[in-house]
Amino acid sequence: MKTILILGAGLSSSSLIRYLLQHAGQQNWQVRIVDQNIESVQKKIASNPHGVALSFDALNPEERRPEIERADLVISMLPARFHVDVAKDCIELKTKLITPSYISKEMQELDQAAKEAGILIMNEIGVDPGIDHMSAAKIIDEIKHQGGKITCFKSYCGGLIAPEYDNNPWHYKFTWNPRNVVLAGFGGAAKYIEQGLYKFIPYHELFNRLDHIEIEGYGSFDGYANRDSLLYRSIYGLDEIPTIFRGTLRRPGFCQAWNILVNLGMTDDSYVLENSERLTPRQFLNTFLPYDTSKPVEYKFDKLFTKGNKQLYDQFDWVGLFENDEAIGIENASPAILLQHILQKKLVLDPEDKDMIVMYHLFRYELDGQELEMTSSMVNIGENQVYTSMSNTVGLPVAICSKLILQGKIPDLGVQIPIKEHVYQPILDELEELGIGFKESWPTLKH
Amino acid sequence: MKTILILGAGLSSSSLIRYLLQHAGQQNWQVRIVDQNIESVQKKIASNPHGVALSFDALNPEERRPEIERADLVISMLPARFHVDVAKDCIELKTKLITPSYISKEMQELDQAAKEAGILIMNEIGVDPGIDHMSAAKIIDEIKHQGGKITCFKSYCGGLIAPEYDNNPWHYKFTWNPRNVVLAGFGGAAKYIEQGLYKFIPYHELFNRLDHIEIEGYGSFDGYANRDSLLYRSIYGLDEIPTIFRGTLRRPGFCQAWNILVNLGMTDDSYVLENSERLTPRQFLNTFLPYDTSKPVEYKFDKLFTKGNKQLYDQFDWVGLFENDEAIGIENASPAILLQHILQKKLVLDPEDKDMIVMYHLFRYELDGQELEMTSSMVNIGENQVYTSMSNTVGLPVAICSKLILQGKIPDLGVQIPIKEHVYQPILDELEELGIGFKESWPTLKH
C-alpha cells in the first residue's frame, strides 16, 4: 500500500481529494489529509475507507515531519510561501513532493539537494501554471518535431463566470480570491517582447492595451498583459523567440471599466486611508476626484473618465460606486481593500452559478519556407461551487501526476515542471477523458 | 573661543561656510570643516585664519568622536540617513547639533535623551524644510495673535532656473540633484485635505492636477502636490484645519510634458531594462509605445500623448527623445535612469546660468466675521554656480541659527524645528538683510 499525504484541504483541494479517494481502492492507496479544520476534511472524505482525516498545524515541522516520513508522496496545497519549508523536510525524509505553485528562487535552489536525496519535487502542475505548460510544451515539441521554427507564442488564461450565468454589465463575478483580482498587475510594469522589441506597459496603461481573442462557440475575450512574459522564454526553451506574450482573459467591457478604477487610484494597496471606516462608496470615489463642490460627483466622474459613454458609466452606477447610504465600514483600509468590498457586494456568485476557465494559445512558426499559424483553446465549466472549474483544473493534473509518480512512471529527480513528454502526454490524455480537453487547429501545409 | 564642527563640505555647504568664516573673527569662532575631499575644503577656507580643514571619514565614529567632543556645536551636512548616528554621538558627548534635514522617526525618538543630556538638536532649518516653516509659523502666530481662525493653508516651493537664463521649451534646468527631480512623487499617491475632504492623487495623475500661481514681477507658475500634506497639520499646530496643501512649483509647460513621461512609464525606477546599454532614446521611447511597425514612433507618440499639440510635441523633439544616432549607454539601468541621462544632456546649466528658489504661501482665515486671505512670497536668485540660491537658502538659515545658538539665544533642549518666535524671528530678519525676504500682502479689515 502507498500513502499520500495532502497538506491543506481548502476549496481548491476538493477535486484533488475526490479523484484520489475514487482511485484509492484500485490503486491501493491510503490518502491522509491534514487541515486545521477537521470537519472540512471529514466532510470531503465522507465514508470512504481509504481516507484518513488529520487535524494538526501543517506549518509546525514537529507535527508534520512524522507524517511526511511515513508517506510515499506529499502534496502541498498550502499557501505558496510555505512550500519551501515542506520541501526541506521532504528532502531530509526522502519523500516525493508535488506543489501546484510557481517555483520560487528558494525552491529552485533545492534542486541539487533533492537530486542527491533521490526525490522528485514536481511544481507548477495546476492550471496556470500547469495545464498551460503542458498544452504548450506538447505543441512546441510537435512543431520542433516537424522541423518548424517558432517565431511567436502568445498564451492567455482567465477564470470567469460561465456564459449561462453571465448576467451583469461587468460580465464578471469573483470566482476566485477577490484580493488577487483587485491587485492584478498592481505596482510594476508588464514586460514582453514583440518581433524582437522589448515592450513595457506601466500599470496605469495595462487595462488599456488589449488583445482581442475569439474562441469558437464562446465568443469574444479581451487579453491584458501579465507581469513578466520574458521569464517564459527559458521555461519553454525558446530563448531566441522574437515574440512572447502571456495575458489574462476577461470579457469585453471589463477591462475598459477596470482601467478607470486603476486610473482613479482605487486599486492602490500601498497606503491606508484616514477614517476609512466612515467612507461611503460615493465619498470614497470623491477622494480621487478633483475638489469642486459646485459639481456633483457623477458629473466630475463622467467628465474625467467615462466621457459620455453611457454603457460604461452604467457599469459604475450598477456596482454602487455613487451610493451614499452607508459606510463601507472597514478600519485602516487601503483603497484596494475598500474597492474590493464594494465590488464583492455585486460581483458575487449566485448559488447556482458555475465558473469557467478559458485558455488560449497562439503559435506562429516557419516550416518549409511557409509562415504558419496554429491555435489551441480549452474552455472548461465547473460542476458546481464545490467542484468548480478552478478546483478541477488545479486539482486533477495534480491528482493524475500523483498517480503516475506512485506507479513509477516519472523517474525524474530534483525540482521539475511538467514540460517533458512522458509527464505531459499521459496527464493531458486523462484530462481530456475528464472533460478538460484542448481544441487544436493546425494549418494545412501547401505543397 | 567657540568651536564649530561642520561634517560634509559639498556643494550645498558653500554659503554656510562663507558666512561662518566671515563672522568667525568678530564672534571668536574656530570653524573646523571635515570632508573626504580635503582640497575642496581648503579651497572654501582659502586663507581665512579661523578655518581648519580636516580630512577623515565622518561616517566613522572612531574618527569623528574626538572632533565632536571638542566642538561646541556640530553642523551635519551629511546625507540625511547619517544624521541619527551623529546625533547619538552628540548626545553622549553633550555637543549641540544642527541638521537641515527632515526629522526621521529615529531622530524624533532621541528627543528625551537629548533633553536629559542638556543639548539642542535643531532640524529642518534649510529652505524646504526650513524657511518654509519659519515664514509660515510667523504668519500663523500673527493671525492667531489677531484672533483669527485659519481655514486654509497652501504652500509651494520650487528650485528653478532664473528668468534671465530660462531659454528652453521646458522652462526648466537641473539646478539640483537630477535623480530627485526625475523620481519626484514616484510610487505612492499624494495626500491632502480640502474643505474637510481627504484627497488622493495617484502618481500618474500628479502632474495633471495643477494649481496656478501668479507672483508679481515673476509671472506664472504651476504647482503639483507633494507626497503627504497631511503631516503638516500637526507640525504647524493646525490639527483641525479643513484645507492644507503643499506643492512644488514649475513653470507652465513643464508639468504637461512631465505628465507624459510619467504616463509613458519612463520615470519608473522599480525594474531594470534588459539590454539597457544598447537602447537609443528613440528605441527607449518605443519600448513604451504599442507595437506597430507600420507607424513611425513619432506618429504613435503624438497620437497617444501630444495629440496634435505642436508646442508640446516640440518639447520632446527638442530634448532628443526621437534621436536614434547613439545609445544612451548605461548598463542595467531602470527607465528612470535612462530618462535622467537623456534629460541631463539638454536641461543642463550653461556656465553663466543662475538658479532661483521660489516660495509662496496662501492663507485663508476668519476674523471678526470676515473671510480673509493673505499671501506671502519669496523669490531668490543665486549669485553664481557656487553660491547658488539653493546653497544660500539652505546654508544661511543654518549659519544664522548657529550664531544664535552659540550666543546663547536659543535655550531650548531636545529635538526641535524652527517654529518658535525667538528662533524664526531673528533668522527671518537677518535673512531679509541678506536678500532672502518675503513679500507679505495682508488684507484690510472692513469696519
Side-chain angles (χ1 to χ4, degrees), chain B residues 49-80:
Chain B
H50 308 287
V52 177
L54 302 167
S55 177
F56 61 80
D57 180 4
L59 306 184
N60 182 340
E62 300 299 312
E63 300 194 54
R64 75 181 174 228
R65 283 169 59 94
E67 284 292 331
I68 291 176
E69 189 161 18
R70 70 183 282 178
D72 296 284
L73 174 68
V74 174
I75 299 170
S76 175
M77 301 297 282
L78 299 170

Side-chain angles (χ1 to χ4, degrees), chain A residues 207-222:
Chain A
F207 295 89
N208 195 30
R209 302 255 187 105
L210 303 175
D211 285 345
H212 301 283
I213 309 288
E214 287 284 326
I215 298 181
E216 204 187 318
Y218 292 93
S220 298
F221 300 86
D222 286 342

Side-chain angles (χ1 to χ4, degrees), chain A residues 187-192 194-195 197-202 204-205 208-209 230 233 262-265 268 270-275 283 286-293 300 304-305, chain B residues 187-192 194-195 197-202 204-205 208-209 230 233 262-265 268 270-275 283 286-293 300 304-305:
Chain A
K191 305 168 192 175
Y192 65 103
E194 183 141 2
Q195 303 270 35
L197 297 175
Y198 286 100
K199 290 287 169 186
F200 299 87
I201 309 176
H204 60 268
E205 272 287 299
N208 195 30
R209 302 255 187 105
L230 303 177
R233 292 175 296 184
V262 169
N263 279 280
L264 277 161
D268 199 325
S270 69
Y271 65 94
V272 158
L273 290 153
E274 283 194 45
N275 299 324
Q283 289 164 344
N286 197 28
T287 63
F288 300 103
L289 297 173
Y291 180 82
D292 186 350
T293 48
K300 293 192 288 186
L304 282 168
F305 292 102
Chain B
K191 305 169 193 174
Y192 66 102
E194 183 140 4
Q195 303 271 37
L197 296 175
Y198 286 101
K199 290 287 167 185
F200 299 88
I201 308 175
H204 61 268
E205 271 287 300
N208 194 31
R209 301 255 187 105
L230 303 178
R233 291 175 296 184
V262 168
N263 280 280
L264 277 162
D268 198 326
S270 69
Y271 65 94
V272 158
L273 291 152
E274 282 193 47
N275 300 325
Q283 289 164 343
N286 198 27
T287 63
F288 300 103
L289 297 174
Y291 180 81
D292 185 351
T293 48
K300 293 192 288 186
L304 282 169
F305 293 102

